[in-house]
Amino acid sequence: MVNERLHADMMTMLEGLDEQMRGIAEVQLKRSKLTATASTCEARITVTVNADGLLIQTVFADDIADLTFDEIAEGMTEAVQKAAQEVDRLSQELLAPLRERKSQLPKLSDIIEGAPDLGARMPVAPPPPTSMREFDSRAVGVFDGTVSRSMISDD
């Protein structure tokens, strides 16, 4: 009886995993085709980013020369960040059904008594900095949060 239940649970988990893999491949294909466009500086700067948030196109309006170099630089940064946020939002929308299906699958700890909940052990990545000021203030080590130093810095 216990073996039949374990077998049924395991088969449910494997079927769910197979479905997840097909879903992941489909989402990856759709995601690879995503782009997002944003404009700033009264539509004088328009940028398009790909699914990874990488700039793939920049268009300046005819009156771009009315802006200073600093305004253009700030406008580019703002436009790329806006477009990247939008493409990230679209990616999250694509992933939502997969996450929902995953949440319905039994966990290893549900099937095997005493097994650890591996999902709870996954580390959560901190959000990346969005400005140079933030970037400079986050000079921390990879795993333990300590400030990393070069051996050369002691010389």
Side-chain angles (χ1 to χ4, degrees), residues 123-129 138 140 142:
V124 177
R138 291 189 188 183
V140 294
V142 175

Side-chain angles (χ1 to χ4, degrees), residues 87-106:
V87 85
D88 184 56
R89 185 190 67 75
L90 294 170
S91 292
Q92 296 305 318
E93 277 183 18
L94 278 176
L95 290 170
L98 283 179
R99 286 191 178 116
E100 177 62 31
R101 274 188 257 149
K102 179 185 170 200
S103 71
Q104 295 171 356
L105 291 175

Side-chain angles (χ1 to χ4, degrees), residues 13-151:
M13 191 169 91
L14 289 174
E15 288 169 12
L17 181 62
D18 189 46
E19 184 180 325
Q20 278 288 100
M21 291 300 143
R22 283 192 308 272
I24 288 169
E26 182 181 322
V27 166
Q28 285 177 332
L29 179 61
K30 287 179 180 177
R31 185 187 172 278
S32 71
K33 297 176 182 179
L34 286 179
T35 62
T37 301
S39 295
T40 58
C41 299
E42 299 174 353
R44 290 182 177 133
I45 300 171
T46 301
V47 301
T48 301
V49 299
N50 67 10
D52 292 327
L54 295 174
L55 181 64
I56 59 173
Q57 183 180 35
T58 303
V59 177
F60 293 137
D62 292 338
D63 59 349
I64 191 72
D66 293 347
L67 300 175
T68 67
F69 288 130
D70 287 342
E71 289 172 327
I72 293 171
E74 289 175 19
M76 285 291 301
T77 301
E78 180 184 345
V80 171
Q81 287 180 351
K82 286 166 79 175
Q85 287 171 350
E86 176 61 12
V87 85
D88 184 56
R89 185 190 67 75
L90 294 170
S91 292
Q92 296 305 318
E93 277 183 18
L94 278 176
L95 290 170
L98 283 179
R99 286 191 178 116
E100 177 62 31
R101 274 188 257 149
K102 179 185 170 200
S103 71
Q104 295 171 356
L105 291 175
K107 297 176 186 168
L108 183 61
S109 57
D110 294 339
I111 296 172
I112 302 172
E113 187 176 332
D117 181 4
L118 300 177
R121 292 185 176 190
M122 288 293 283
V124 177
T130 58
S131 71
M132 288 306 292
R133 233 181 340 269
E134 280 183 55
F135 195 89
D136 292 341
S137 69
R138 291 189 188 183
V140 294
V142 175
F143 297 108
D144 62 0
T146 61
V147 174
S148 57
R149 291 178 46 161
S150 163
M151 289 174 51

